[in-house]
Amino acid sequence: SDASGVPQQQITAKVKNITIVNDNVALIHSRTPRTNRLRFLAGQHVQLGGNGVPVASHPVGSCPCDDMHLHFQIPTVAGDAFSDHVFNTMKNGDLLDINGPAGNFILDEDSPRSLIFIARKTGFAPIRSLVEHAMALELADSIHLVWVAEDKQDRYLDNLCRSWTDALDNFYYLPVDAGLEAGVDHISSEIIYQLKVEPDKMADYDCYIAGEDLLTDACTKTMISSGLPLEQLKVNRIPRD
């Protein structure tokens, strides 16, 4: 439950599958050696690459409960050598060095409160890890997931989210179609509206937000002004993708 207690590790995994889901995102499914799995906390990130492969930091987009199968959601980023390698060079069976983990965007496992997760585009990677971990531990009475994207194709794991809704009585999936041109204040207000949480009940939730700076800042401001205590909010700001 404490990131400081997780040792730094160096692991060489094999790319089991790489899928280019659209022009903006590639999904990597890697597999570690059975005897050298990655120990990490949900929501943390690692350094990928090395030994001739460009290096970049990305969140682990899967649950620590399956630490031999590691998933990553890689956005296209102009001028980023690792992104270019993933989309144009990487293939199934390649070796991928993993160093880490790092980061404090992790669940408060001692909290009795329900959970709100807000992601924009590939901010869904650490959010997916947190959601799956929370579900595996049966931590919360209810889980709300909001995924903001320009359009439906940018919610590239929409079917997964809907399967969680079908499988769990206490899981609520709220997709929001909105580009940043709509205005981050408008988007954050729409999120609050769709959550349908009364201000006097907001203190009953912990909130985790991952996404581009402008939207995470706007959501942070809106959530706090709607009654969420600051200490019950965690934010993971990622570069705009």
PDB file of all heavy atoms in Angstrom, residues 30-44:
ATOM      1  N   SER A  30       2.515  -7.438 -22.988  1.00  0.00           N
ATOM      2  CA  SER A  30       3.822  -8.058 -22.806  1.00  0.00           C
ATOM      3  C   SER A  30       3.752  -9.119 -21.715  1.00  0.00           C
ATOM      4  O   SER A  30       2.891  -9.064 -20.833  1.00  0.00           O
ATOM      5  CB  SER A  30       4.880  -7.012 -22.460  1.00  0.00           C
ATOM      6  OG  SER A  30       4.591  -6.409 -21.204  1.00  0.00           O
ATOM      7  N   ARG A  31       4.675 -10.051 -21.783  1.00  0.00           N
ATOM      8  CA  ARG A  31       4.701 -11.136 -20.795  1.00  0.00           C
ATOM      9  C   ARG A  31       6.092 -11.231 -20.192  1.00  0.00           C
ATOM     10  O   ARG A  31       7.085 -11.338 -20.905  1.00  0.00           O
ATOM     11  CB  ARG A  31       4.303 -12.458 -21.460  1.00  0.00           C
ATOM     12  CG  ARG A  31       4.342 -13.643 -20.512  1.00  0.00           C
ATOM     13  CD  ARG A  31       3.728 -14.874 -21.129  1.00  0.00           C
ATOM     14  NE  ARG A  31       3.824 -16.032 -20.239  1.00  0.00           N
ATOM     15  CZ  ARG A  31       3.131 -17.152 -20.391  1.00  0.00           C
ATOM     16  NH1 ARG A  31       2.289 -17.267 -21.407  1.00  0.00           N
ATOM     17  NH2 ARG A  31       3.269 -18.149 -19.547  1.00  0.00           N
ATOM     18  N   THR A  32       6.145 -11.203 -18.878  1.00  0.00           N
ATOM     19  CA  THR A  32       7.429 -11.309 -18.185  1.00  0.00           C
ATOM     20  C   THR A  32       7.798 -12.787 -18.020  1.00  0.00           C
ATOM     21  O   THR A  32       6.943 -13.669 -18.140  1.00  0.00           O
ATOM     22  CB  THR A  32       7.360 -10.672 -16.792  1.00  0.00           C
ATOM     23  OG1 THR A  32       6.576 -11.507 -15.922  1.00  0.00           O
ATOM     24  CG2 THR A  32       6.750  -9.283 -16.843  1.00  0.00           C
ATOM     25  N   PRO A  33       9.068 -13.074 -17.705  1.00  0.00           N
ATOM     26  CA  PRO A  33       9.413 -14.453 -17.340  1.00  0.00           C
ATOM     27  C   PRO A  33       8.617 -14.891 -16.110  1.00  0.00           C
ATOM     28  O   PRO A  33       8.329 -14.090 -15.220  1.00  0.00           O
ATOM     29  CB  PRO A  33      10.909 -14.362 -17.024  1.00  0.00           C
ATOM     30  CG  PRO A  33      11.387 -13.152 -17.754  1.00  0.00           C
ATOM     31  CD  PRO A  33      10.241 -12.183 -17.728  1.00  0.00           C
ATOM     32  N   ARG A  34       8.268 -16.149 -16.051  1.00  0.00           N
ATOM     33  CA  ARG A  34       7.465 -16.649 -14.931  1.00  0.00           C
ATOM     34  C   ARG A  34       8.174 -16.446 -13.591  1.00  0.00           C
ATOM     35  O   ARG A  34       7.525 -16.244 -12.561  1.00  0.00           O
ATOM     36  CB  ARG A  34       7.174 -18.133 -15.150  1.00  0.00           C
ATOM     37  CG  ARG A  34       6.187 -18.751 -14.162  1.00  0.00           C
ATOM     38  CD  ARG A  34       5.885 -20.188 -14.522  1.00  0.00           C
ATOM     39  NE  ARG A  34       5.282 -20.290 -15.845  1.00  0.00           N
ATOM     40  CZ  ARG A  34       3.985 -20.149 -16.077  1.00  0.00           C
ATOM     41  NH1 ARG A  34       3.150 -19.881 -15.082  1.00  0.00           N
ATOM     42  NH2 ARG A  34       3.506 -20.272 -17.309  1.00  0.00           N
ATOM     43  N   THR A  35       9.498 -16.489 -13.608  1.00  0.00           N
ATOM     44  CA  THR A  35      10.268 -16.385 -12.369  1.00  0.00           C
ATOM     45  C   THR A  35      10.732 -14.962 -12.073  1.00  0.00           C
ATOM     46  O   THR A  35      11.448 -14.741 -11.098  1.00  0.00           O
ATOM     47  CB  THR A  35      11.494 -17.299 -12.440  1.00  0.00           C
ATOM     48  OG1 THR A  35      12.279 -16.949 -13.596  1.00  0.00           O
ATOM     49  CG2 THR A  35      11.085 -18.759 -12.538  1.00  0.00           C
ATOM     50  N   ASN A  36      10.336 -13.998 -12.901  1.00  0.00           N
ATOM     51  CA  ASN A  36      10.798 -12.618 -12.703  1.00  0.00           C
ATOM     52  C   ASN A  36       9.678 -11.653 -13.082  1.00  0.00           C
ATOM     53  O   ASN A  36       9.774 -10.898 -14.038  1.00  0.00           O
ATOM     54  CB  ASN A  36      12.043 -12.351 -13.545  1.00  0.00           C
ATOM     55  CG  ASN A  36      12.717 -11.042 -13.162  1.00  0.00           C
ATOM     56  OD1 ASN A  36      12.498 -10.506 -12.072  1.00  0.00           O
ATOM     57  ND2 ASN A  36      13.529 -10.516 -14.056  1.00  0.00           N
ATOM     58  N   ARG A  37       8.607 -11.670 -12.298  1.00  0.00           N
ATOM     59  CA  ARG A  37       7.447 -10.838 -12.576  1.00  0.00           C
ATOM     60  C   ARG A  37       7.638  -9.442 -11.980  1.00  0.00           C
ATOM     61  O   ARG A  37       8.419  -9.257 -11.051  1.00  0.00           O
ATOM     62  CB  ARG A  37       6.195 -11.490 -11.999  1.00  0.00           C
ATOM     63  CG  ARG A  37       6.020 -12.937 -12.422  1.00  0.00           C
ATOM     64  CD  ARG A  37       4.771 -13.547 -11.835  1.00  0.00           C
ATOM     65  NE  ARG A  37       4.675 -14.974 -12.124  1.00  0.00           N
ATOM     66  CZ  ARG A  37       3.568 -15.685 -12.039  1.00  0.00           C
ATOM     67  NH1 ARG A  37       2.448 -15.097 -11.632  1.00  0.00           N
ATOM     68  NH2 ARG A  37       3.554 -16.963 -12.323  1.00  0.00           N
ATOM     69  N   LEU A  38       6.905  -8.487 -12.524  1.00  0.00           N
ATOM     70  CA  LEU A  38       7.014  -7.117 -12.046  1.00  0.00           C
ATOM     71  C   LEU A  38       6.123  -6.901 -10.830  1.00  0.00           C
ATOM     72  O   LEU A  38       4.913  -7.098 -10.895  1.00  0.00           O
ATOM     73  CB  LEU A  38       6.618  -6.129 -13.147  1.00  0.00           C
ATOM     74  CG  LEU A  38       6.710  -4.652 -12.751  1.00  0.00           C
ATOM     75  CD1 LEU A  38       8.172  -4.236 -12.612  1.00  0.00           C
ATOM     76  CD2 LEU A  38       6.008  -3.770 -13.773  1.00  0.00           C
ATOM     77  N   ARG A  39       6.731  -6.497  -9.732  1.00  0.00           N
ATOM     78  CA  ARG A  39       5.963  -6.106  -8.553  1.00  0.00           C
ATOM     79  C   ARG A  39       5.709  -4.603  -8.633  1.00  0.00           C
ATOM     80  O   ARG A  39       6.652  -3.811  -8.707  1.00  0.00           O
ATOM     81  CB  ARG A  39       6.741  -6.454  -7.282  1.00  0.00           C
ATOM     82  CG  ARG A  39       6.788  -7.958  -6.992  1.00  0.00           C
ATOM     83  CD  ARG A  39       7.756  -8.285  -5.893  1.00  0.00           C
ATOM     84  NE  ARG A  39       9.138  -8.148  -6.356  1.00  0.00           N
ATOM     85  CZ  ARG A  39      10.198  -8.164  -5.568  1.00  0.00           C
ATOM     86  NH1 ARG A  39      10.035  -8.272  -4.257  1.00  0.00           N
ATOM     87  NH2 ARG A  39      11.410  -8.051  -6.063  1.00  0.00           N
ATOM     88  N   PHE A  40       4.440  -4.229  -8.616  1.00  0.00           N
ATOM     89  CA  PHE A  40       4.087  -2.813  -8.727  1.00  0.00           C
ATOM     90  C   PHE A  40       2.730  -2.591  -8.081  1.00  0.00           C
ATOM     91  O   PHE A  40       1.991  -3.539  -7.797  1.00  0.00           O
ATOM     92  CB  PHE A  40       4.056  -2.371 -10.200  1.00  0.00           C
ATOM     93  CG  PHE A  40       2.928  -2.966 -11.001  1.00  0.00           C
ATOM     94  CD1 PHE A  40       1.783  -2.233 -11.270  1.00  0.00           C
ATOM     95  CD2 PHE A  40       3.020  -4.263 -11.510  1.00  0.00           C
ATOM     96  CE1 PHE A  40       0.739  -2.786 -12.015  1.00  0.00           C
ATOM     97  CE2 PHE A  40       1.979  -4.817 -12.261  1.00  0.00           C
ATOM     98  CZ  PHE A  40       0.834  -4.070 -12.513  1.00  0.00           C
ATOM     99  N   LEU A  41       2.409  -1.331  -7.854  1.00  0.00           N
ATOM    100  CA  LEU A  41       1.103  -0.952  -7.334  1.00  0.00           C
ATOM    101  C   LEU A  41       0.257  -0.395  -8.469  1.00  0.00           C
ATOM    102  O   LEU A  41       0.775   0.261  -9.383  1.00  0.00           O
ATOM    103  CB  LEU A  41       1.246   0.093  -6.232  1.00  0.00           C
ATOM    104  CG  LEU A  41       2.032  -0.341  -4.988  1.00  0.00           C
ATOM    105  CD1 LEU A  41       2.148   0.821  -4.006  1.00  0.00           C
ATOM    106  CD2 LEU A  41       1.375  -1.537  -4.314  1.00  0.00           C
ATOM    107  N   ALA A  42      -1.031  -0.667  -8.434  1.00  0.00           N
ATOM    108  CA  ALA A  42      -1.935  -0.157  -9.461  1.00  0.00           C
ATOM    109  C   ALA A  42      -1.794   1.350  -9.580  1.00  0.00           C
ATOM    110  O   ALA A  42      -1.754   2.067  -8.576  1.00  0.00           O
ATOM    111  CB  ALA A  42      -3.377  -0.529  -9.111  1.00  0.00           C
ATOM    112  N   GLY A  43      -1.702   1.828 -10.830  1.00  0.00           N
ATOM    113  CA  GLY A  43      -1.575   3.257 -11.090  1.00  0.00           C
ATOM    114  C   GLY A  43      -0.156   3.724 -11.311  1.00  0.00           C
ATOM    115  O   GLY A  43       0.059   4.859 -11.759  1.00  0.00           O
ATOM    116  N   GLN A  44       0.840   2.878 -11.012  1.00  0.00           N
ATOM    117  CA  GLN A  44       2.233   3.290 -11.174  1.00  0.00           C
ATOM    118  C   GLN A  44       2.674   3.210 -12.638  1.00  0.00           C
ATOM    119  O   GLN A  44       2.026   2.569 -13.472  1.00  0.00           O
ATOM    120  CB  GLN A  44       3.151   2.430 -10.310  1.00  0.00           C
ATOM    121  CG  GLN A  44       3.012   2.703  -8.817  1.00  0.00           C
ATOM    122  CD  GLN A  44       4.115   2.049  -8.007  1.00  0.00           C
ATOM    123  OE1 GLN A  44       4.256   0.834  -8.015  1.00  0.00           O
ATOM    124  NE2 GLN A  44       4.900   2.854  -7.311  1.00  0.00           N
TER     125      GLN A  44
END
